[in-house]
């Protein structure tokens, strides 16, 4: 295994959030349930399925060296056992579009969505899920040449953290409609999966996919990505903070010891209080998602990981949500400075990917939440590079000197 020599400066997206019309996925079915858990359906999204080349050109114009995107399983295998060669060819052209512009393609194999037939069979809880996922990983690894890194499952730990919260927010009517649409319990959709499915089949599927990829492309680095907040505590809350770290992150970081890297995805900070509750720090400024605006979080997370684990890290997602692009620019500057400081203190960080390249479909919250360096007019799909993207470009250029 060899991680790329140069530090990867990039931006990230995920298929369902930008491609549009992912009609054979479980998520699409849920969006069209009535009443739906989703405030609006994804529809055409940013139509990236037809505009990949244009988007990669933007990545190149931004002076970035890498682009992270996902290969949509629901397109590759829309019906059980039916594999679309045309779709694999499409993703091969996406990889080529990156390579011809000197951009390192980083791909994700599972970014929350999956084929509807798989959800009907139980999703992660299905007995053969690890095997099915390893088969999908193998066919993608065979089809795509020239990839820089593979992320198996995006934020495998997220359901352990967030499914209780998502479940609590779903009304009885929404749940019933969702289950009718899926033809399965709501836990068949990744974001609502139970702990047992994630810690059992989820980790097994990650390992099986990793081993399948290594067998086909020895030397191609493989890892999973994890959702990791900066965990902090008010006086008296330290034991609760530590318990959160042990429950939500440690089992996954332990498993990642056998991987080539771990993808760190950090957006904010969680403050544990003496009474066991968690929330925003006192006096914190909230973003449009209600998270603390906390660019320092990502560097703190890298340092915390480095204090216990030696696995190389790639920041595969970090970003600012909101309409104030000036704030986005300052967020990026502070976040990257924090990552650099963590590296100077010994954290082995090999890349930084801003989430997201484009304003996109923010899952249940729809299009109102904007993370992008690039705005998308959803009427005509035109792209507008925001000023924060220029700041990121200047930083990537300067910091491109940092040796990984
Ligand atoms: C996910 C993205 C999502 C982002 C912002 C991460 O949890 O990987 O798909 O858009 O956070 O919520």
């Amino acid at each position: 295994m060899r991680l790329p020599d140069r530090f990867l400066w990039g931006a990230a997206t995920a298929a369902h959030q930008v491609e549009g019309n992912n009609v054979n996925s479980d998520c699409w079915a849920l969006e069209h349930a009535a009443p739906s858990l989703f405030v609006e359906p994804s529809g055409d999204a940013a139509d990236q399925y037809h505009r990949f080349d244009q988007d990669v050109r933007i990545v190149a114009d931004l002076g970035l060296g890498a682009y992270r995107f996902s290969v949509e399983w629901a397109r590759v295998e829309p019906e059980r056992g039916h594999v679309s060669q045309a779709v694999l060819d499409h993703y091969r052209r996406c990889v080529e579009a990156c390579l011809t512009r000197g951009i390192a393609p980083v791909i994700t194999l599972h970014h929350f969505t999956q084929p509807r037939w798989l959800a009907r069979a139980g999703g992660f809880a299905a007995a053969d899920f690890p095997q099915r996922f390893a088969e999908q990983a193998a066919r993608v690894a065979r089809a795509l040449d020239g990839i820089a890194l593979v992320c198996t499952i995006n934020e495998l730990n997220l359901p352990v953290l967030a499914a209780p919260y998502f479940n609590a927010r779903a009304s009885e009517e929404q749940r019933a409609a969702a289950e009718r649409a899926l033809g399965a319990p709501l836990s068949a959709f990744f974001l609502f999966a139970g702990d047992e499915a994630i810690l059992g089949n989820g980790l097994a599927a990650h390992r099986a996919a990793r081993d399948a990829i290594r067998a086909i492309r020895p030397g191609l680095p493989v890892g999973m990505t994890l959702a990791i907040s900066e965990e902090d505590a008010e006086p008296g809350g330290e034991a609760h903070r530590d318990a959160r770290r042990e429950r939500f992150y440690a089992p996954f970081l332990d498993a990642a010891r056998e991987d080539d890297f771990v993808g760190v995805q950090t957006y904010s900070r969680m403050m544990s209080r003496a009474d066991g509750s968690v929330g925003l720090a006192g006096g914190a400024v909230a973003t449009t998602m209600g998270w603390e605006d906390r660019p320092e979080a990502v560097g703190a997370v890298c340092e915390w990981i480095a204090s216990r684990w030696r696995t190389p890290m790639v920041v595969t997602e970090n970003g600012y949500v909101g309409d104030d692009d000036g704030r986005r620019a300052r967020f990026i500057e502070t976040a990257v400075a924090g990552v650099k400081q963590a590296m100077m203190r010994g954290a082995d960080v090999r890349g930084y990917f801003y989430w997201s390249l484009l304003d996109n479909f923010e899952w249940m919250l729809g299009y109102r939440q904007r993370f992008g360096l690039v705005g998308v007019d959803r009427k005509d799909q035109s792209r507008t590079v925001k000023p924060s993207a220029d700041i990121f470009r200047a930083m990537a250029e300067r910091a491109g000197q940092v040796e990984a």
Side-chain angles (χ1 to χ4, degrees):
M1 187 284 306
R2 245 170 51 88
L3 286 164
D5 295 330
R6 64 193 166 109
F7 191 88
L8 294 170
W9 286 97
T13 54
H16 190 83
Q17 294 177 274
V18 295
E19 284 185 347
N21 300 297
N22 186 17
V23 297
N24 294 307
S25 66
D26 52 0
C27 198
W28 183 272
L30 293 173
E31 290 161 24
H32 292 275
S36 177
L37 296 157
F38 289 73
V39 298
E40 58 186 322
S42 52
D44 285 341
D47 191 30
Q48 195 192 65
Y49 198 79
H50 303 105
R51 292 163 201 263
F52 193 91
D53 206 56
Q54 178 190 352
D55 288 342
V56 170
R57 214 176 318 135
I58 295 173
V59 175
D61 289 347
L62 291 179
L64 301 177
Y67 181 44
R68 173 175 177 237
F69 60 99
S70 72
V71 171
E72 182 55 53
W73 189 357
R75 289 188 195 276
V76 174
E77 192 180 6
E79 291 295 340
R80 188 175 194 133
H82 172 89
V83 174
S84 168
Q85 186 57 44
V87 169
L88 288 172
D89 287 346
H90 166 81
Y91 287 116
R92 191 176 39 70
R93 288 191 295 273
C94 294
V95 168
E96 279 163 12
C98 293
L99 295 174
T100 53
R101 293 194 172 81
I103 292 172
V106 171
I107 64 153
T108 308
L109 296 172
H110 187 291
H111 197 123
F112 297 176
T113 51
Q114 55 199 1
R116 206 189 286 206
W117 60 261
L118 185 64
R120 268 199 301 272
F124 275 53
D128 61 355
F129 179 79
Q131 187 203 329
R132 296 265 163 206
F133 184 58
E135 284 165 11
Q136 166 67 0
R139 66 174 75 94
V140 173
R142 257 183 244 111
L144 305 185
D145 196 9
I147 299 163
L149 303 176
V150 179
C151 307
T152 56
I153 301 170
N154 182 67
E155 298 189 339
L156 177 58
N157 66 324
L158 182 64
V160 178
L161 248 170
Y165 165 77
F166 293 141
N167 273 306
R169 276 201 328 187
S171 72
E172 276 316 305
E173 293 74 21
Q174 287 170 328
R175 172 180 298 277
E179 298 194 336
R180 273 197 304 279
L182 276 185
L186 188 48
S187 59
F189 181 53
F190 175 75
L191 293 176
F192 288 76
D195 291 6
E196 213 179 303
I198 294 297
L199 287 157
N201 266 356
L203 280 171
H206 162 67
R207 280 192 297 271
R210 182 198 60 207
D211 295 348
I213 294 163
R214 282 179 176 166
I216 294 163
R217 295 203 182 268
L220 171 56
V222 190
M224 62 182 145
T225 78
L226 298 174
I228 309 187
S229 295
E230 177 187 2
E231 295 290 342
D232 207 342
E234 287 181 0
E238 294 83 357
H240 298 297
R241 174 201 61 202
D242 295 347
R244 285 176 57 85
R245 285 177 167 162
E246 294 315 306
R247 178 161 146 64
F248 298 141
Y249 316 127
F252 299 89
L253 288 161
D254 284 345
R257 283 182 206 275
E258 295 161 28
D259 299 345
D260 303 313
F261 71 94
V262 61
V264 174
Q265 308 200 160
T266 300
Y267 287 90
S268 190
R269 167 167 72 167
M270 297 304 284
M271 193 61 91
S272 289
R273 307 187 185 107
D275 65 2
S277 62
V278 303
L280 270 61
V285 175
T287 62
T288 52
M289 295 269 282
W291 301 335
E292 179 180 353
D293 179 354
R294 176 78 178 164
E296 297 84 357
V298 65
V301 167
C302 291
E303 278 194 45
W304 173 68
I305 294 175
S307 72
R308 267 177 71 178
W309 291 273
R310 299 179 61 86
T311 316
M313 294 171 246
V314 177
V315 175
T316 39
E317 287 183 27
N318 175 245
Y320 175 78
V321 60
D323 302 322
D324 179 348
D325 192 58
R327 180 58 206 154
R328 174 172 293 102
R330 291 192 298 281
F331 181 99
I332 298 174
E333 282 176 330
T334 308
V336 169
V339 172
K340 278 204 227 167
Q341 194 180 59
M343 289 169 73
M344 284 180 322
R345 292 183 179 156
D348 183 4
V349 185
R350 309 296 183 95
Y352 175 92
F353 289 74
Y354 180 80
W355 180 273
S356 177
L357 177 68
L358 304 173
D359 284 340
N360 63 45
F361 182 66
E362 179 52 29
W363 305 111
M364 290 173 273
L365 301 177
Y367 289 100
R368 175 65 195 87
Q369 301 298 334
R370 301 196 180 94
F371 286 86
L373 295 169
V374 177
V376 177
D377 181 331
R378 297 199 55 255
K379 283 192 284 300
D380 63 9
Q381 297 292 355
S382 58
R383 273 65 167 147
T384 306
V385 175
K386 301 180 192 176
S388 58
D390 291 322
I391 303 281
F392 189 39
R393 180 215 322 256
M395 282 177 29
E397 274 165 12
R398 278 201 308 274
Q401 315 308 323
V402 176
E403 284 300 309

